[in-house]
Amino acid sequence: DIQMTQSPSSLSASVGDRVTITCRASQSISSYLNWYQQKPGKAPNLLIHAASSLQSGVPSRFRGSGSGTDFTLTISSLQPEDLALYSCQQTYSLPPTFGGGTKVEIK
Amino acid sequence: EMQLLESGGGLVQPGGSLRLSCAASGFTFNTYAMNWVRQAPGKGLEWVSIVDSSGDGTKYADSVKGRFTISRDNSKNRLYLQMNRLRADDTALYYCAKSDCDSTGCYTVDYWGQGTLVTVSS
């Protein structure tokens, strides 16, 4: 199975800050990488697919980048409603695997 | 509006069985693959199984292979997960999740239900 490692596991930032979350795959996955946002007590929501494609309806402050083994999710200007757990997922091979998640808190 | 509503979770003893159900509405159910994804308390997401749009093709995580069976009834817009020989480490919130295309290779989930909780304990 392909292992997905996210860092950091948690972070605290102020409203308006630029936030960066990284995801590393244990082998090359090309651009088969998704990012999900899970707000407290809610189901996950697809933010980014194919490493850098913004899902319809997702604010433009979210940006995904990377290919191969190293990927990044950037929130350009953190908002209070961005409090959530962010998870990456590889869809390159079976089984699709998720990272352990990054908990984003607002200072 | 798209909706996925899971049911069937509960408390079950180790070795027992449960059948989860997911009622889908607001989209053309028989044109998309469907998944079950679970999340143990305080843990990350774990993909469990996928069924293609016709119901003929299925895939499973190794952790559930031989114990769980995914199926669908396109006439009723329903997805199912039959869970047998349940273990304590199957305890989790189980999400019904829609793929963005129709085959068993479509692992991108573009819509999730709210989940149903399965607790395996004596």
Side-chain angles (χ1 to χ4, degrees):
Chain A
D1 296 3
I2 296 176
Q3 307 304 314
M4 306 300 293
T5 304
Q6 282 184 241
S7 61
S9 57
S10 66
L11 66 90
S12 181
S14 299
V15 172
D17 282 355
R18 182 183 185 91
V19 169
T20 300
I21 299 167
T22 63
C23 179
R24 175 164 288 175
S26 60
Q27 66 182 74
S28 178
I29 58 170
S30 184
S31 295
Y32 291 89
L33 191 284
N34 300 325
W35 288 98
Y36 296 91
Q37 175 194 61
Q38 188 173 16
K39 295 184 178 182
K42 300 294 186 182
N45 181 49
L46 179 64
L47 293 178
I48 304 281
H49 60 96
S52 60
S53 296
L54 197 66
Q55 181 69 358
S56 175
V58 174
S60 58
R61 64 180 179 274
F62 292 94
R63 178 177 175 268
S65 63
S67 67
T69 61
D70 294 312
F71 301 87
T72 300
L73 174 68
T74 301
I75 308 173
S76 60
S77 177
L78 190 68
Q79 299 301 303
E81 60 267 31
D82 299 336
L83 166 74
L85 179 72
Y86 293 85
S87 301
C88 60
Q89 177 208 24
Q90 66 82 17
T91 60
Y92 181 80
S93 68
L94 183 71
T97 46
F98 293 86
T102 296
K103 186 175 182 180
V104 173
E105 298 177 329
I106 311 296
K107 279 184 185 173
Chain B
E1 181 189 355
M2 204 176 300
Q3 195 165 18
L4 295 171
L5 188 61
E6 303 94 336
S7 60
L11 175 63
V12 61
Q13 292 188 339
S17 298
L18 274 180
R19 189 194 196 204
L20 306 184
S21 180
C22 172
S25 60
F27 65 100
T28 309
F29 182 71
N30 64 6
T31 61
Y32 293 97
M34 295 294 296
N35 303 262
W36 289 98
V37 180
R38 67 186 181 184
Q39 188 170 33
K43 301 295 186 182
L45 297 162
E46 180 188 14
W47 176 84
V48 172
S49 183
I50 189 170
V51 59
D52 67 13
S53 59
S54 69
D56 293 336
T58 59
K59 302 286 186 187
Y60 297 92
D62 285 347
S63 58
V64 307
K65 198 175 293 183
R67 300 188 299 122
F68 290 12
T69 303
I70 192 171
S71 62
R72 64 192 295 162
D73 185 337
N74 285 343
S75 68
K76 296 181 179 178
N77 284 3
R78 283 202 174 246
L79 175 73
Y80 303 101
L81 186 68
Q82 177 66 44
M83 304 187 295
N84 298 330
R85 303 200 320 266
L86 282 160
R87 311 185 304 221
D89 61 358
D90 294 317
T91 294
L93 187 64
Y94 283 74
Y95 291 104
C96 170
K98 172 188 168 292
S99 288
D100 65 348
C101 52
D102 63 352
S103 77
T104 54
C106 297
Y107 305 127
T108 294
V109 171
D110 62 1
Y111 195 76
W112 304 67
Q114 291 303 306
T116 186
L117 182 62
V118 172
T119 303
V120 184
S121 175
S122 54

